[in-house]
């Protein structure tokens, strides 16, 4: 199957209101362009340098979401390229993004990455610490907190991811009811190629697919 056919099929199957992020790590600018021409509007990138190369080819024909672990020395460059950063997990990172956005005259959409699997993964804020982090960074003027993101377990039985998706959805709903100024819980980004069906059942409204669009990574 071509990238074009994969994208067309996925977009046809996507429930209304669900956004597709094409997770493009290791893919060439030409492959990413093919996905965009087939209807992808959100590109997910894990590495700022790789994104810069793809961005040079695709530019603003798509919107760019950072979905990797963002190091503070890459924030300045990330702010130039990305429309959203889905993986904010500390107040230091949030402050750095805010500062660089202020210098660039930009407001950044962000999501808070939840380490829903707790000790299984390194990145993301623990579910129990998410509310405090959000309350702390909500006043930053150049950030718009728009939801949550989680990874869950990488592979294996997709059912194994369900409890982590459920925890994250519970947090999403609860934080949404707190009406914290500057915080809107509208996007819940969870589910990858092996787990997106489960994620959708558990309330994801944004899924991030790489392999299903582009084929296996080398
Ligand atoms: C690579 C990646 C994906 C997509 O993974 P696939 O299994 O190829 O669909 C989704 N989210 C993040 C954060 C990723 O790094």
């Amino acid at each position: 199957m071509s990238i074009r056919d994969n994208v067309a099929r996925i977009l046809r199957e996507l429930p209304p209101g669900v956004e597709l992020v094409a997770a493009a790590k290791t893919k060439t600018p030409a492959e990413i362009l093919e996905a965009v021409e087939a209807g992808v509007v959100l590109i997910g990138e894990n590495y700022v340098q790789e994104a810069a190369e793809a961005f040079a080819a695709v530019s603003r024909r798509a919107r760019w979401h950072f979905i990797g672990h963002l190091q503070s020395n890459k924030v300045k460059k990330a702010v130039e390229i990305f429309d959203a950063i889905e993986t904010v997990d500390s107040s230091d990172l949030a402050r750095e993004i805010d500062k660089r956005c202020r210098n660039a005259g930009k407001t950044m959409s962000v999501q808070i990455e939840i380490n829903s699997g707790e000790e299984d993964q390194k990145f993301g804020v623990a579910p129990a610490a998410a509310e405090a982090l959000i309350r702390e960074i909500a006043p930053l003027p150049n950030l718009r907190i728009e939801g949550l993101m989680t990874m869950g377990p990488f592979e294996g039985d997709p059912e194994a991811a369900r409890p982590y998706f459920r925890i994250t959805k519970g947090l999403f709903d609860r934080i949404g009811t707190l009406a914290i100024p500057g915080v809107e819980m509208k996007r819940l980004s969870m589910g990858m190629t092996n787990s997106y069906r489960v994620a959708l059942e558990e309330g994801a409204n944004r899924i991030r697919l790489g392999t299903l669009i582009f084929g296996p990574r080398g």
Side-chain angles (χ1 to χ4, degrees):
M1 286 283 251
S2 66
I3 292 170
R4 174 173 298 280
D5 292 342
N6 292 339
V7 168
R9 190 184 66 253
I10 294 162
L11 291 177
R12 253 194 332 268
E13 285 177 4
L14 223 55
V18 175
E19 295 180 338
L20 171 66
V21 172
K25 59 178 174 282
T26 77
K27 298 302 161 182
T28 64
E31 289 171 306
I32 297 168
L33 252 185
E34 185 177 343
V36 169
E37 281 163 2
V40 160
V41 295
L42 303 179
I43 313 272
E45 290 280 1
N46 294 61
Y47 305 102
V48 175
Q49 187 50 45
E50 207 176 290
E53 287 159 31
F55 183 77
V58 179
S59 187
R60 300 278 168 215
R61 274 179 283 182
R63 284 186 288 137
W64 297 81
H65 283 211
F66 191 80
I67 62 173
H69 177 65
L70 187 54
Q71 292 167 319
S72 60
N73 64 347
K74 300 285 168 60
V75 170
K76 181 169 186 282
K77 185 73 187 167
V79 161
E80 290 171 20
I81 296 173
F82 290 97
D83 301 291
I85 297 174
E86 296 202 9
T87 50
V88 172
D89 63 357
S90 74
S91 60
D92 284 351
L93 177 58
R95 281 175 216 290
E96 184 66 18
I97 295 168
D98 182 64
K99 181 177 105 186
R100 296 298 180 179
C101 283
R102 175 166 17 92
N103 295 343
K106 186 168 175 173
T107 302
M108 185 65 73
S109 297
V110 303
Q111 289 170 280
I112 307 303
E113 181 175 2
I114 305 300
N115 183 357
S116 55
E118 312 243 12
E119 67 276 13
D120 292 341
Q121 358 175 147
K122 220 158 126 197
F123 300 124
V125 61
E131 182 186 333
L133 173 63
I134 289 171
R135 287 191 186 278
E136 185 183 348
I137 67 177
L140 295 173
N142 300 287
L143 255 57
R144 258 197 324 265
I145 302 173
E146 295 194 330
L148 305 181
M149 177 272 201
T150 200
M151 293 284 288
F154 274 95
E155 48 202 30
D157 180 1
E159 280 301 324
R162 190 182 295 278
Y164 305 108
F165 292 156
R166 198 166 281 178
I167 285 168
T168 309
K169 174 64 157 76
L171 203 52
F172 178 81
D173 289 341
R174 196 177 63 74
I175 291 171
T177 66
L178 299 175
I180 302 169
V183 178
E184 215 182 348
M185 282 293 116
K186 63 178 185 186
R187 282 293 158 193
L188 180 57
S189 175
M190 52 186 200
M192 311 191 293
T193 292
N194 83 324
S195 60
Y196 75 97
R197 290 178 198 281
V198 172
L200 289 172
E201 287 168 9
E202 295 300 331
N205 61 16
R206 181 184 291 154
I207 57 176
R208 307 178 309 272
L209 303 179
T211 308
L212 201 63
I213 293 175
F214 297 107
R217 287 180 290 275

